[in-house]
Amino acid sequence: MAFFNKIIIVFTISLFLTTIPSKAYNIQPKPHAPSHAPIKPSSSSSSYVASKGTIEIPKNIPTVPNTRDLSVFINSMMEATMTKTEEFIANVIEQRLEEPDTDIYATDCLETCKSVYQDAVDAMKKAEEDVKAKDYYKVNLDISAMTTDIDTCNECAISIYGEDTEFRQFDNWIQGVASECLEKISALTK
């Protein structure tokens, strides 16, 4: 019975932590240069470097003059972000779950992260569908849902690991992608 009480307490704490504002919400990356910059960016791009692989994000993305170009831009960003999110799940979250010294609280957090990252991937797929339908209001909502899912994991990771470099860099990178997409949608659909 004590085990189930611990699970309920962890769940309650996680839920509580996701509902209160924290420093993590104030660490918003600038669209072209995240504050906790990824490792070794080139002069014309920044990147998120996980255990394996890199995705480059151009610093100076050209303006998107029409909705056709916006569709291409959003779809390419969502495809790249889905790939990197799935890699992060496999290369960071799954690896940490397999570590023998991972305690129950860290396991709960990592399982939550895995689940919400998969929800974020679903939101990215929905964004692609809504782009095809030219429903940019829904695209905006989908991308916002993606960032909320990522923030949920970030809060959990901070509560368990403190300032974890891998989670922080990934969060900053994906928030930068979302910011770019939302900025382009907002500029074109005013």
Side-chain angles (χ1 to χ4, degrees):
M1 196 64 169
F3 175 75
F4 291 108
N5 288 340
K6 286 181 183 178
I7 296 294
I8 290 171
I9 290 170
V10 169
F11 177 75
T12 305
I13 290 170
S14 296
L15 181 63
F16 176 73
L17 289 174
T18 61
T19 60
I20 59 173
S22 75
K23 293 178 188 173
Y25 287 105
N26 296 327
I27 303 173
Q28 291 298 322
K30 294 181 179 158
H32 303 298
S35 58
H36 299 290
I39 303 166
K40 295 183 183 177
S42 69
S43 62
S44 64
S45 66
S46 64
S47 61
Y48 160 72
V49 180
S51 301
K52 299 176 184 174
T54 302
I55 290 185
E56 295 290 323
I57 307 169
K59 280 187 176 182
N60 298 316
I61 298 173
T63 59
V64 179
N66 58 47
T67 56
R68 182 177 178 280
D69 292 340
L70 177 63
S71 297
V72 171
F73 175 79
I74 298 291
N75 283 333
S76 64
M77 293 300 276
M78 291 299 102
E79 284 297 320
T81 306
M82 280 187 278
T83 299
K84 187 47 72 182
T85 302
E86 289 165 351
E87 287 176 6
F88 191 83
I89 291 169
N91 296 334
V92 176
I93 294 173
E94 290 290 345
Q95 283 181 358
R96 289 187 186 192
L97 281 169
E98 292 173 5
E99 292 174 359
D101 61 336
T102 303
D103 66 23
I104 189 169
Y105 303 108
T107 299
D108 184 52
C109 174
L110 292 168
E111 289 292 342
T112 298
C113 287
K114 184 177 174 181
S115 175
V116 296
Y117 279 12
Q118 289 167 338
D119 291 345
V121 169
D122 291 341
M124 292 176 226
K125 289 177 183 174
K126 182 77 172 111
E128 287 183 320
E129 292 170 14
D130 291 335
V131 163
K132 287 178 188 171
K134 298 185 187 316
D135 190 343
Y136 296 107
Y137 175 76
K138 284 186 179 178
V139 174
N140 189 322
L141 293 176
D142 298 330
I143 293 171
S144 296
M146 172 190 79
T147 62
T148 300
D149 291 329
I150 300 301
D151 282 342
T152 299
C153 175
N154 190 42
E155 285 294 314
C156 176
I158 288 171
S159 71
I160 297 296
Y161 298 108
E163 264 314 296
D164 184 277
T165 304
E166 287 180 306
F167 279 97
R168 185 186 67 229
Q169 286 179 343
F170 184 73
D171 180 69
N172 286 340
W173 176 79
I174 204 164
Q175 294 294 346
V177 168
S179 179
E180 276 295 326
C181 291
L182 293 173
E183 183 181 304
K184 301 293 187 207
I185 291 168
S186 176
L188 195 60
T189 58
K190 284 185 179 178

